[in-house]
Every structure is written in C-alpha cells, then in structure tokens.
Amino acid sequence: EVIRYTCKEVMEDGSIPYGIVGSGVVMPAPFLPSDTELWLLWLASEYVLANRDMGFLEEQITTYPIYQEGLPQRSIKEILQVCYGHLLNATGTGKHGLMRLSNGDWNDGAVMGSVHPDQEEEVRIHGESVLNASFSSYVLDLYGTMLNYIGEEDLASASRKVAEEQKLAVREQWAGKWFKRQWLNDSLGWIGEDVMWLEPQPWAIIGGASTGAQTRELVSSLNELLRDPSPI
C-alpha cells in the first residue's frame, strides 16, 4: 500500500513532492528534498526481492491529481525507472562526484535555517550530500539486484555502476575520524570537517564506502563522542 500510494505521487519527470494535501494536491512547500526517490527505490526493491513478486512491478498506477480526467497510467516498474532517471539526471552529482543536496536531504534543516537566505539558491545548485551519496551506495546496488532478478541486466549493471561511483566518492570525504556531512558551495565549503554529524556515518558503513580501517576508527569515534557520554 505504501509503495502504491507513493507511486501515485510521482510526477511526470520522476520527482516526488514534499507532501500531498486534500484530494491529491501537491502541498505548497519551500523544501525540494533530494533523497525522496531513494526511499521509494529502496522499499520497492526490498519488497520485490523479499516476496519474489515480479507481477507487482507490472501493476498499473494512476497518478495524482486524481480530480483530472483521462490521467495516464504507468506500471510500477516504469515509475521506479523514471524516479531513478530523475535521481541521476535532475538531482545528479556535483564537483566532488557526490549526489547533490538541493535545499535539503533527509534533514530539512541541512540548508534552510542553516544557510543565510542569500546563499540558499547557490547551495541548491552546487551543494552535495555525503548522506545521499552513502545512502545511494546501498540503495542503487539493491535496486540493481532487483533489476537483475527480473531480467533487466543492462539496467542493473548501470545502477550498480552508479552505486560504486557514489561509494568511492564518499570514501574521499573521510575527515580523519568520521565522514564529512555536506558540501555547500565554493564560499561556504564543507560542513562536518571539525564536528561529526551522525546522519551519514552508518550509511557509509552499510553502503560499503568505508574501508575496514575507516570503519574501525568510525565506530570508535561514535562510541567515544556519542554513545559513551550519553545518559541514555
């Protein structure tokens, strides 16, 4: 049900709105998150592989807004591939090869509220997210596994190639004891060089970006700086 509903939200270009209100109306919001397609690709891949439900991918979905007549239908497989295309071609990567940040990723406050409004548009264009990159290292490899399972070998190979590129790009952002959080622009530089942001760290391990030595150092830093001092 979650996958079907989310597929109904997908716009013609493969983007997913920040939210839906009323009867299928895109919610007015200043946020243009850069990670939404990744969550859908992850969930759908998990579902198909866990249940071996290839037929699910052929289901036809009618998209919002539902008050229009004559809406085209697309298969779930096609919607997923359009989302994948939006992730690669619209979100894309920046100068460090990392998935771009837009004006926020999983963290709505990664840009808006943290960056001066005069800089927000430049960051939206040039910013990169280590979180998105490390997350996509895992998700796009899994999506490739799912595509390979349904016989789409070329698409699977392409997705896994992007996952590998993101993994290597994240590995380059090692700050000594943890991974950096994000690149904003040439004038603002990096966030997360001198202080650890927790968000991308687990995904750097899960996605395979961190080397064995980096993983050991990172876990040690997580324990020393966050777990051990915590009252809970």
Side-chain angles (χ1 to χ4, degrees):
E1 289 85 356
V2 172
I3 298 170
R4 290 188 184 104
Y5 177 82
T6 306
C7 284
K8 289 181 74 67
E9 295 181 272
V10 174
M11 310 299 284
E12 188 174 355
D13 65 354
S15 62
I16 301 175
Y18 186 79
I20 296 291
V21 295
S23 298
V25 178
V26 174
M27 183 179 81
F31 297 107
L32 299 168
S34 51
D35 65 327
T36 46
E37 294 85 16
L38 284 167
W39 295 92
L40 177 58
L41 293 171
W42 181 21
L43 179 59
S45 299
E46 289 277 10
Y47 171 78
V48 171
L49 290 169
N51 293 280
R52 297 296 188 259
D53 188 358
M54 287 190 288
F56 178 72
L57 294 172
E58 303 304 325
E59 286 190 20
Q60 297 291 308
I61 298 293
T62 303
T63 55
Y64 284 135
I66 60 174
Y67 53 79
Q68 291 183 358
E69 295 183 0
L71 288 171
Q73 291 190 335
R74 293 184 290 184
S75 70
I76 291 176
K77 180 171 71 174
E78 180 184 356
I79 291 171
L80 295 178
Q81 193 59 26
V82 171
C83 284
Y84 170 79
H86 185 270
L87 180 71
L88 262 61
N89 302 315
T91 301
T93 57
K95 64 185 291 183
H96 302 93
L98 300 159
M99 283 286 174
R100 287 176 53 238
L101 173 61
S102 186
N103 67 5
D105 43 29
W106 176 85
N107 185 342
D108 287 345
V111 177
M112 301 185 72
S114 301
V115 173
H116 193 279
D118 291 346
Q119 293 267 19
E120 284 181 5
E121 181 61 17
E122 187 179 349
V123 170
R124 187 189 67 79
I125 295 170
H126 298 291
E128 297 169 76
S129 170
V130 177
L131 173 57
N132 279 353
S134 54
F135 186 27
S136 64
S137 299
Y138 176 80
V139 171
L140 296 184
D141 184 70
L142 185 70
Y143 183 54
T145 300
M146 189 273 286
L147 289 169
N148 192 66
Y149 171 65
I150 64 173
E152 298 282 1
E153 288 88 358
D154 290 344
L155 294 177
S157 177
S159 184
R160 285 173 166 164
K161 181 176 183 290
V162 177
E164 183 66 21
E165 290 169 350
Q166 289 303 290
K167 181 170 69 174
L168 296 176
V170 171
R171 190 171 295 165
E172 291 297 313
Q173 306 316 321
W174 180 245
K177 292 190 174 183
W178 55 75
F179 289 93
K180 302 170 192 173
R181 175 59 173 85
Q182 61 201 36
W183 166 262
L184 297 177
N185 58 27
D186 287 332
S187 60
L188 296 175
W190 288 99
I191 297 293
E193 287 185 296
D194 56 353
V195 64
M196 184 198 298
W197 286 57
L198 180 60
E199 297 152 344
Q201 312 307 329
W203 283 111
I205 298 173
I206 295 168
S210 60
T211 65
Q214 287 172 339
T215 297
R216 288 189 292 273
E217 183 65 37
L218 178 54
V219 171
S220 177
S221 297
L222 289 166
N223 286 331
E224 177 188 351
L225 299 173
L226 302 177
R227 271 187 83 240
D228 294 343
S230 172
I232 58 170

